[in-house]
Every structure is written in C-alpha cells, then in structure tokens.
Amino acid sequence: GISLKQLQDLRTQVCSDAGQDAFNKMTMRDICKIISPACQREKKSYALVLNEFGLEAKAFVTHCWDEAFGEFVASLEQAFGCWMNPPPLWICSFA
C-alpha cells in the first residue's frame, strides 16, 4: 500500500516541478508516466519503491485514469484526513 502522506508528498513534488497550471491538468495517466522511470529502475511498483517492505493496505481505493490527480488526492484527504492514523491504501496505479 501507499500512505496518504506519500500521495500528498507526490502531489507537492509534481506541482513544484511542473508548475501549478500544468499540474492542474494532470491526470492519473500523467502521474503514472512521471513515476514510471523510478518503477522501471527499481523493478518495483511505486508503493514498493517508497516502502521497501511494503505497507499492509487497509483500504481499497479505485480511481478513473482520466481523473485529475489533484482532485483524487483531495478526495482522499476529505475521506481520511480527519483520521488520527489514515490507513495504508491499495490503489492499482501505485500497486
């Protein structure tokens, strides 16, 4: 799994690198293209690139490939942001 914090960090990094205007147009497909080199280099999913021994996912999250990544993370913040310890998430694009 991947943590909400790790998704927030990815959002921050991509927004910083690409600029706000470009970031606002980025879909889940675009984010997968950005993380793909690290996954190919490590021969691991992005979740395992970030978490060497993995995180046991406690929540299953689905998404639309053409969904804006920023909106996707915002929806997870709305769903899990008030949790004291948000659960690790299983998201196919990062698994």
Side-chain angles (χ1 to χ4, degrees), residues 10-21:
L10 177 61
R11 175 185 60 193
T12 299
Q13 185 62 51
V14 172
C15 186
S16 174
D17 291 348
Q20 189 67 48
D21 289 340

Side-chain angles (χ1 to χ4, degrees), residues 1 3 5 7 10-11 13 19 21 23 28-29 33 37 39-42 45 53-54 57 64 71 74 77-78 91-92:
S3 72
K5 173 77 168 85
L7 291 170
L10 177 61
R11 175 185 60 193
Q13 185 62 51
D21 289 340
F23 174 77
M28 293 295 288
R29 291 179 198 276
K33 290 176 188 173
C39 298
Q40 290 176 0
R41 182 177 58 252
E42 300 291 326
S45 69
F53 301 106
C64 172
E71 290 177 13
E77 289 172 330
Q78 186 174 24
I91 305 167
C92 68

Side-chain angles (χ1 to χ4, degrees), residues 23-35:
F23 174 77
N24 288 340
K25 298 173 188 167
M26 288 188 178
T27 66
M28 293 295 288
R29 291 179 198 276
D30 298 320
I31 297 301
C32 285
K33 290 176 188 173
I34 290 169
I35 65 173

Side-chain angles (χ1 to χ4, degrees), residues 69-83:
F69 180 68
E71 290 177 13
F72 175 71
V73 175
S75 70
L76 294 174
E77 289 172 330
Q78 186 174 24
F80 297 109
C82 64
W83 291 38

